[in-house]
Amino acid sequence: MYIIRQKKNKYKLKDESQLNDMNGFLFGSKNKGYKIAGEEVTSLTIYNKKLASPIAKKQVDHKYGRLISLLTDLLVSDDDSGECYKEALNQIERFRQIIKNKYRDYLPKKELEVMGKNLSMFQKEAKNRFMELQNTLSKSSRKSSCK
């Protein structure tokens, strides 16, 4: 639970670029509003890493869980075209880029390494299955063209 206290700021901002240069964790969305202490808040930026870390961890865990369930569905499916393996590889790379750009500063390195190892395992499996599928398709096309 958080309490909002309105205090008068002793310091005045001399340069607006200082405020723009500060890196913070954007929490919430522009479209959805939250009510905190009776006031509507649309987008909230958290500048303290200790406060932003648990929120970022929760968001990453949720996205990671959805990704893992999607990857297991894609890798288990019986698709002869190989599109599911391409989609799995794309989703893995997309998730890695999101983590690298948005959440890396707020998550502990150990947790990032564990996620990276699991994702690399899924990535290897998807690549191997895609290569096997390509090999079987190329062998079958060679045999049929010899008739």
Side-chain angles (χ1 to χ4, degrees):
M1 191 66 150
Y2 294 99
I3 298 173
I4 295 179
R5 294 183 188 150
Q6 294 181 353
K7 292 183 178 181
K8 291 186 179 181
N9 194 357
K10 297 182 212 176
Y11 308 104
K12 292 197 177 193
L13 188 63
K14 293 181 181 178
D15 188 15
E16 266 188 49
S17 64
Q18 285 179 332
L19 186 62
N20 293 335
D21 292 339
M22 291 179 71
N23 291 331
F25 180 71
L26 183 63
F27 179 68
S29 65
K30 293 180 181 176
N31 300 332
K32 183 180 177 187
Y34 298 99
K35 281 198 170 188
I36 300 175
E39 294 191 25
E40 188 76 20
V41 178
T42 55
S43 62
L44 183 66
T45 305
I46 302 172
Y47 294 103
N48 188 347
K49 286 188 179 182
K50 287 183 180 180
L51 291 177
S53 181
I55 296 169
K57 184 180 182 323
K58 185 177 178 181
Q59 287 181 354
V60 168
D61 287 342
H62 180 68
K63 289 181 182 185
Y64 183 69
R66 285 191 326 204
L67 177 69
I68 294 299
S69 66
L70 176 70
L71 289 177
T72 54
D73 290 342
L74 288 173
L75 293 177
V76 171
S77 70
D78 295 331
D79 185 16
D80 292 339
S81 65
E83 289 297 318
C84 61
Y85 303 127
K86 287 181 185 178
E87 180 66 24
L89 291 171
N90 287 339
Q91 291 295 326
I92 290 170
E93 191 58 36
R94 182 174 169 265
F95 182 76
R96 283 188 179 188
Q97 290 300 321
I98 288 172
I99 295 298
K100 179 181 174 186
N101 294 331
K102 190 173 180 181
Y103 296 107
R104 180 181 49 187
D105 295 336
Y106 303 103
L107 296 175
K109 285 187 178 185
K110 187 175 183 179
E111 186 174 330
L112 290 173
E113 289 173 359
V114 170
M115 278 189 214
K117 286 179 183 178
N118 289 340
L119 288 177
S120 64
M121 181 184 66
F122 278 110
Q123 192 173 23
K124 283 180 185 178
E125 183 67 27
K127 281 182 183 178
N128 288 340
R129 289 188 182 188
F130 184 69
M131 294 301 283
E132 288 174 8
L133 184 66
Q134 292 298 321
N135 289 339
T136 56
L137 289 177
S138 65
K139 286 179 183 178
S140 64
S141 66
R142 287 182 195 161
K143 289 179 182 179
S144 64
S145 64
C146 295
K147 291 182 179 179

